[in-house]
Amino acid sequence: QVQLVESGGGLVQAGGSLSLSCVASGSISSIHAMGWYRQAPGKQRELVAHITNGGGTNYADSVKGRFTIFRGNAKNTVYLQMDSLKPEDTAVYYCNALGPLATDYWGQGTQVTVSS
């Protein structure tokens, strides 16, 4: 089992920046990749960014060039640096870890609100 705890988020004006952090505990050696998803009210959860153990990254088109995902030295942490935020980035952001047999682990979510 893997447990994920997120921190960061909050309220920011459009054009501002926020950073999210996620720390994994438990069977961290079983994690293949980590990422961030978000869910806005009335919408489905969507991938924001994803990073593999090898460092390969993938971003949603809507955040390319504005958001950066990276892992910590300890490899059990993942960060999301969000710059040039837009009101449409407002959502609950969830940390995700991918384990064996495509098992998904989720954090509790953290609210990001961008005011116009």
Side-chain angles (χ1 to χ4, degrees):
Q1 291 292 318
V2 174
Q3 295 78 43
L4 303 171
V5 178
E6 301 121 334
S7 60
L11 174 64
V12 66
Q13 288 188 330
S17 298
L18 281 174
S19 296
L20 303 181
S21 302
C22 175
V23 179
S25 60
S27 302
I28 57 175
S29 62
S30 67
I31 296 173
H32 299 321
M34 297 185 76
W36 291 93
Y37 287 70
R38 67 186 181 187
Q39 188 167 17
K43 295 188 176 181
Q44 289 188 329
R45 191 173 297 189
E46 63 176 1
L47 174 69
V48 176
H50 174 265
I51 184 167
T52 66
N53 284 353
T57 58
N58 182 44
Y59 294 91
D61 288 343
S62 60
V63 306
K64 282 181 181 176
R66 300 188 298 120
F67 290 12
T68 304
I69 188 170
F70 56 100
R71 301 281 289 269
N73 289 335
K75 301 299 182 184
N76 68 326
T77 55
V78 64
Y79 304 92
L80 186 68
Q81 177 63 37
M82 304 183 292
D83 299 318
S84 302
L85 282 160
K86 304 176 181 180
E88 50 263 44
D89 293 318
T90 295
V92 177
Y93 284 69
Y94 296 91
C95 180
N96 170 269
L98 181 64
L101 302 177
T103 301
D104 278 309
Y105 298 97
W106 297 97
Q108 79 282 1
T110 185
Q111 177 70 45
V112 171
T113 303
V114 185
S115 63
S116 56

